[in-house]
Structure formats: C-alpha cells, structure tokens
C-alpha cells in the first residue's frame, strides 16, 4: 500500500502497521459474521463468542496506536506519509467501533432470547442489511489496502442503500407496534439492532473517505457525491 521511500526500514514499518490494520479488519469481519449468525439462529453461544472477541479487538487497537505513535515520533513524516498514518489511525478507531456494534448486536440477541420475544417479528429481514453492511466493510478494507479512490466513491454510494434498508425496516416496525402494543418492547429491541447494523455501514463509509484523504489530500466528509467525484477525477 505505501509508496517506496529511500529508507527501506521506513517502508518496512509502514507495511507492518498497514498489515496490522488488515488483520484487525479481518478479526472485526469475523465478529460481524458471528453476530449475524447469532441473530439469524437466536444462538446465545455464538453471541457470547462475539463478546469474547471484543477484548482481542480492543487490544489490537491499542497496539496499533502505540506503533503509529512510535513511527510518527521517530520518522516525523510529512505530506502523504503523514496523511496515510493519520488515516490508518482513524481507520483503526472505526474498526474498533464496528467491533462495538457487533458486540451490541450480540447483547441484543441475548436480551431477545432471554425475554422470550415473539419470533414472528421480522428479525430475519435484518440479515439482508447485515450482509450488505458486512460486505461494504470488506470492500472498504480492500480499497484501503490498494488506496483505490474509484472503489471508495462506489462504497460511498452503496452506503446510501443501507440507509434506505434501515428506513424501510423502521417503517415496518412502526406498523407492528401500531397493530399490537404488545410488540412495542421487542420491536424496540430490533430497532436497536437495525441501528447497529446501519452504523457498521457508516464506519465503512468513513474508511472510504480516508482513502480519498490520503490520495487527494482532501477532506470529503459532509460533501455530496457529485463534489467527491470531481475531487477524485
């Protein structure tokens, strides 16, 4: 991912920390897959595995931050190198937050099972959104590894689809609650689950924005797709 430098040691350090981020991303992806499975199968055992993985995710974030601080202190990077290290730091933070969302899903699954909430609610429909969010995160990590700005723009567009899925699911839950007040409590549980999934898509979108920041030196947060496409061209 990083460009070549006169110092091969600096190249080695950049590659090492970049690989650590990809390793963290793989761990977080496995957390999401476990959380989705726990939701679709109402499995307490798998939900507990998601929670256990959270400690490893948090420890890796701390290790990567420590490594980044060391590189910045010793190498005093500038321009694109500095942007890359900042983007790696922010990407690491976003991956840790994705892990938090996966752990939140696991907690809500346990709560739904323990409360004996009716399974007639559309919990399985969340699988579609969850798969979309997980796939988007995978694409964001692949694009970050290549610093692919075209792929980054595509990811930003796909996040809008996840937002639309979330809005549609919320409307459906409101209908359930209006038709039967007994469904209010379990429906709220599913609403929190849906929001956690939607947030995973948001974090993938953030990572895509960091790619453009590294390559183009432009902060495209809160910017329209049309403006971002003009920056990338």
């Amino acid at each position: 991912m990083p460009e070549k430098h006169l110092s091969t040691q600096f190249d080695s350090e950049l590659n090492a920390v970049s690989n650590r981020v990809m390793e963290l991303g793989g761990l977080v992806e496995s957390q999401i897959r476990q959380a989705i499975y726990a939701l679709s199968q109402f499995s307490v055992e798998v939900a507990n595995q998601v929670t256990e993985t959270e400690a490893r995710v948090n420890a890796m974030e701390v290790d990567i931050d420590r490594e980044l601080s060391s590189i910045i202190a010793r190498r005093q990077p500038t321009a694109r190198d500095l942007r890359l290290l900042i983007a790696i730091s922010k990407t690491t933070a976003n991956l840790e937050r994705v892990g938090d969302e996966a752990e939140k899903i696991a907690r809500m699954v346990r709560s739904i099972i323990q409360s004996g909430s009716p399974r007639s609610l559309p919990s399985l429909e969340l699988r579609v959104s969850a798969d979309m969010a997980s796939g988007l995160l995978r694409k964001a990590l692949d694009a970050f590894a290549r610093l692919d700005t075209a792929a980054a723009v595509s990811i930003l567009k796909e996040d809008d689809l996840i937002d639309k899925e979330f809005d549609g699911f919320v409307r459906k839950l409101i209908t359930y609650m209006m038709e039967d007040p007994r469904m209010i409590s379990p429906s709220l549980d599913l609403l929190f689950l849906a929001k956690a999934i939607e947030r995973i898509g948001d974090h993938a979108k953030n990572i895509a924005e960091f790619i453009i920041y590294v390559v183009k030196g432009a902060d495209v947060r809160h910017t329209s797709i049309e403006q971002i496409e003009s920056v990338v061209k």
Side-chain angles (χ1 to χ4, degrees):
M1 178 170 67
E3 296 178 339
K4 293 293 182 182
H5 298 83
L6 293 176
S7 169
T8 56
Q9 180 61 33
F10 189 17
D11 286 332
S12 177
E13 291 171 357
L14 288 175
N15 284 324
V17 73
S18 297
N19 289 337
R20 288 282 284 164
V21 173
M22 295 302 114
E23 182 183 351
L24 175 60
L27 184 59
V28 169
E29 281 187 59
S30 71
Q31 252 191 314
I32 298 173
R33 286 194 298 270
Q34 288 177 321
I36 294 171
Y37 183 86
L39 173 61
S40 63
Q41 302 298 319
F42 286 98
S43 171
V44 172
E45 180 181 358
V46 177
N48 289 338
Q49 291 173 7
V50 175
T51 301
E52 291 169 3
T53 304
E54 181 69 5
R56 291 174 57 199
V57 170
N58 292 340
M60 284 190 69
E61 183 203 13
V62 172
D63 287 344
I64 293 171
D65 273 348
R66 187 183 298 116
E67 193 171 347
L68 286 170
S69 297
S70 174
I71 293 173
I72 291 172
R74 289 182 291 101
R75 300 295 181 181
Q76 298 183 352
T78 59
R80 178 163 165 153
D81 290 334
L82 181 57
R83 294 200 303 270
L84 174 61
L85 291 171
I86 291 172
I88 287 175
S89 177
K90 290 180 177 293
T91 295
T92 302
N94 273 265
L95 288 174
E96 189 275 334
R97 288 168 191 152
V98 170
D100 288 344
E101 298 298 340
E103 200 274 333
K104 186 186 301 180
I105 292 171
R107 276 192 279 115
M108 293 306 301
V109 168
R110 287 196 296 266
S111 174
I112 290 171
I113 294 171
Q114 291 166 3
S115 66
S117 297
R119 299 192 182 189
S120 57
L121 283 169
S123 58
L124 291 181
E125 292 186 21
L126 286 175
R127 179 69 181 265
V128 175
S129 296
D131 285 341
M132 289 174 62
S134 178
L136 197 63
L137 179 65
R138 187 179 308 111
K139 290 178 183 178
L141 289 170
D142 289 344
F144 193 86
R146 302 188 311 271
L147 292 179
D148 186 338
T149 55
V153 172
S154 177
I155 290 163
L156 297 179
K157 292 177 179 178
E158 284 190 56
D159 181 58
D160 289 340
L161 298 177
I162 296 176
D163 293 340
K164 290 177 182 177
E165 285 284 335
F166 173 73
D167 292 341
F169 189 76
V170 170
R171 288 194 295 271
K172 181 169 290 189
L173 286 179
I174 290 173
T175 300
Y176 273 88
M177 289 186 282
M178 290 176 64
E179 291 177 350
D180 187 349
R182 292 174 299 178
M183 294 294 188
I184 292 177
S185 180
S187 292
L188 289 176
D189 285 340
L190 290 187
L191 178 60
F192 287 125
L193 278 170
K195 185 60 181 177
I197 292 169
E198 190 258 349
R199 288 293 298 147
I200 291 172
D202 288 343
H203 289 303
K205 176 182 177 180
N206 292 343
I207 293 172
E209 290 172 344
F210 302 149
I211 295 168
I212 298 170
Y213 169 69
V214 173
V215 177
K216 299 295 183 178
D219 185 345
V220 295
R221 292 175 297 175
H222 315 300
T223 304
S224 70
I225 288 293
E226 291 76 16
Q227 291 174 310
I228 292 172
E229 286 179 324
S230 67
V231 167
V232 169
K233 287 180 180 178

